[in-house]
Amino acid sequence: MVRAVFVALCMCFPLSAMAQSAPDFARADARADAQWEDRREETSAYAEAWAAFNNAHHLDERDGCYFRADGQLTQVLEIDANGKVVGYFTDQDNGRSQCWRTTYLGVVFPKPPFAPYWHKLVMQ
């Protein structure tokens, strides 16, 4: 019975989507850094498009996340081939990170040039 449930769950989620997600912040952060080194031009161009979309929709401001804790916070968003934020990783677990997790997960940005695309944000 347990095996049947596991197989059924695996069929609901494509293996490629499961394999792309980093297991923790450290790995997501490393992938974001490597992406800048390996694909700088594409990453830079998409980062500008991402920022324009984010700013036009005021996503970082809309839920009042900045005021939920103090200090710097680094977050990495995992974006799939359709532009959807499917992973959220952060170096801290506090009111700000929990708020931004809710804000960003599921948002569909413009399609990135490759996937997964790792978007790193350092919030002050």
Side-chain angles (χ1 to χ4, degrees):
M1 179 66 174
V2 172
R3 184 171 183 238
V5 170
F6 177 75
V7 170
L9 284 173
C10 286
M11 293 179 78
C12 293
F13 301 101
L15 290 177
S16 61
M18 290 172 42
Q20 290 178 356
S21 185
D24 54 33
F25 171 77
R27 296 243 177 95
D29 189 43
R31 289 177 184 175
D33 289 344
Q35 177 181 284
W36 272 102
E37 292 175 22
D38 298 341
R39 301 181 90 160
R40 183 170 300 275
E41 287 184 35
E42 292 170 290
T43 299
S44 179
Y46 184 72
E48 289 180 26
W50 186 95
F53 181 94
N54 185 68
N55 292 340
H57 293 89
H58 305 282
L59 294 174
D60 61 321
E61 300 170 350
R62 78 169 183 202
D63 296 323
C65 300
Y66 282 104
F67 305 106
R68 304 220 176 169
D70 292 327
Q72 182 173 296
L73 171 85
T74 301
Q75 28 187 3
V76 177
L77 308 179
E78 179 185 3
I79 302 174
D80 73 8
N82 294 314
K84 183 176 182 181
V85 178
V86 296
Y88 178 89
F89 306 89
T90 184
D91 64 344
Q92 296 182 39
D93 184 16
N94 60 29
R96 291 172 91 194
S97 65
Q98 292 165 12
C99 181
W100 275 316
R101 176 184 311 276
T102 301
T103 298
Y104 283 115
L105 273 176
V107 172
V108 179
F109 285 88
K111 290 181 181 183
F114 53 86
Y117 181 92
W118 303 93
H119 191 73
K120 186 174 183 175
L121 300 156
V122 178
M123 313 304 273
Q124 300 296 327

